[in-house]
Amino acid sequence: MDLVLDLADTYLLDKIYAHLVPVSAFTGSKPSVSTWSNIVSYLPHPPLPAELFEPAVTTAPLTSAWPRDYMPRQLLSLLVLTLIGIHVLYFVFAGLSYKYIFNHDMMKHPKFLKNQVQLEIQTSLRGFPVMTLYTLPWFLGEVRGCSRLYTDVDEYGWTYLVFSIAFFLVFTDYLIYWIHRWEHHPLCYKWLHKPHHKWLIPTPFASHAFHPLDGYLQSVPYHLFIFLFPLHQKLYLVLFVCVNFWSIFIHDSDMVTGSVFETVINGPAHHTLHHLYFTVNYGQYFTLSDRMNGSYRQPEAHLDPLLEVKMAEANKQK
């Protein structure tokens, strides 16, 4: 997120903060000339360097009293950028998947809810602000240099760069498996994870339709990784976008079977079975954790929920 924030500051936010929180509102070199400056003058701000009191600076239109490293500014910027980012990612990727990948015949399934797509979107939109607030401390730690993100490939070499991709996926998949499985425990399933299992036949818009705490908990491994292990800054951003896309992709209710990678990769068919049978296929990308812990169920053609749709359609025609 530090890369995103740096780009946003450079091309947009520096100018916005300079107009919203101008240094001239705090220097006291002359009476404020606007109501806005009077209001802003009561805001907290870091100690201002003496050079900012120079007339040439106090009259400059693009100087802010909130520098880039000021924590309230970082928190506000991260909040806005994260909310914008998750909404754009959700509607673009889920929308494309819904239009071009999701089989719309699945909406005729007996267990597909009335107005389900609308309900999935509403649940997601209600959850985004809360999940963002939960996530802010991780992002703040990242932009303030507390993580182990690095920018120079030579620092760890190309071999580690390639290895870190697999390491990130295996590490996060294993932790998500246990978080996900714990959420199915009777003590917390009903209030925490059951809202997501409301969608027995999910669409891509169900990918983020969680209880906010549920969605946050399953994202923790992604954030935790970079505070424990080195990861290239740009690679982390790419991986973060990709895992969100994968979460959308596996919610398309697709039951295509027979792939050579089927026993290794936890794809849409596996996750469709999870939504239908609840206690199988908890993994995110791989099947290894499910296989090791007795929760794996192999996708098979006769388990395809589309068969129930075809059967219902055939019965209507009789």
Side-chain angles (χ1 to χ4, degrees), residues 68-108:
R68 289 187 179 188
D69 61 352
Y70 186 47
M71 189 179 296
R73 168 174 167 166
Q74 291 175 327
L75 282 170
L76 180 59
S77 299
L78 289 169
L79 176 65
V80 173
L81 290 174
T82 304
L83 283 174
I84 293 174
I86 189 60
H87 281 80
V88 170
L89 184 149
Y90 175 69
F91 282 110
V92 170
F93 285 157
L96 290 173
S97 182
Y98 177 76
K99 183 175 182 179
Y100 295 109
I101 300 178
F102 175 69
N103 188 339
H104 288 243
D105 286 340
M106 294 301 299
M107 300 172 73
K108 302 174 185 177

Side-chain angles (χ1 to χ4, degrees), residues 236-247:
Y236 178 56
L237 181 60
V238 171
L239 288 171
F240 198 82
V241 172
C242 287
V243 297
N244 275 278
F245 170 75
W246 185 259
S247 295

Side-chain angles (χ1 to χ4, degrees), residues 71-221:
M71 189 179 296
R73 168 174 167 166
Q74 291 175 327
L75 282 170
L76 180 59
S77 299
L78 289 169
L79 176 65
V80 173
L81 290 174
T82 304
L83 283 174
I84 293 174
I86 189 60
H87 281 80
V88 170
L89 184 149
Y90 175 69
F91 282 110
V92 170
F93 285 157
L96 290 173
S97 182
Y98 177 76
K99 183 175 182 179
Y100 295 109
I101 300 178
F102 175 69
N103 188 339
H104 288 243
D105 286 340
M106 294 301 299
M107 300 172 73
K108 302 174 185 177
H109 194 282
K111 294 181 179 178
F112 194 88
L113 303 179
K114 182 180 179 180
N115 299 323
Q116 180 173 312
V117 173
Q118 179 181 345
L119 293 172
E120 291 171 341
I121 294 174
Q122 289 175 348
T123 301
S124 300
L125 296 184
R126 285 197 300 268
F128 286 158
V130 182
M131 283 189 280
T132 298
L133 289 175
Y134 288 153
T135 307
L136 276 182
W138 293 102
F139 284 153
L140 184 64
E142 181 185 331
V143 301
R144 295 187 72 83
C146 299
S147 75
R148 301 193 65 185
L149 291 174
Y150 64 94
T151 57
D152 186 358
V153 175
D154 292 334
E155 186 173 352
Y156 291 94
W158 285 99
T159 301
Y160 179 79
L161 183 77
V162 175
F163 166 77
S164 66
I165 299 174
F167 186 26
F168 175 87
L169 295 176
V170 171
F171 176 88
T172 56
D173 180 77
Y174 183 76
L175 291 189
I176 291 172
Y177 172 87
W178 284 110
I179 292 170
H180 191 180
R181 187 160 184 172
W182 170 78
E183 290 180 341
H184 280 258
H185 192 281
L187 288 176
C188 57
Y189 174 75
K190 186 174 182 179
W191 64 270
L192 180 62
H193 193 54
K194 188 176 180 180
H196 184 63
H197 275 281
K198 179 180 181 179
W199 331 112
L200 296 176
I201 305 296
T203 78
F205 290 108
S207 58
H208 291 71
F210 290 99
H211 184 292
L213 182 58
D214 180 3
Y216 166 72
L217 289 174
Q218 294 199 53
S219 75
V220 166

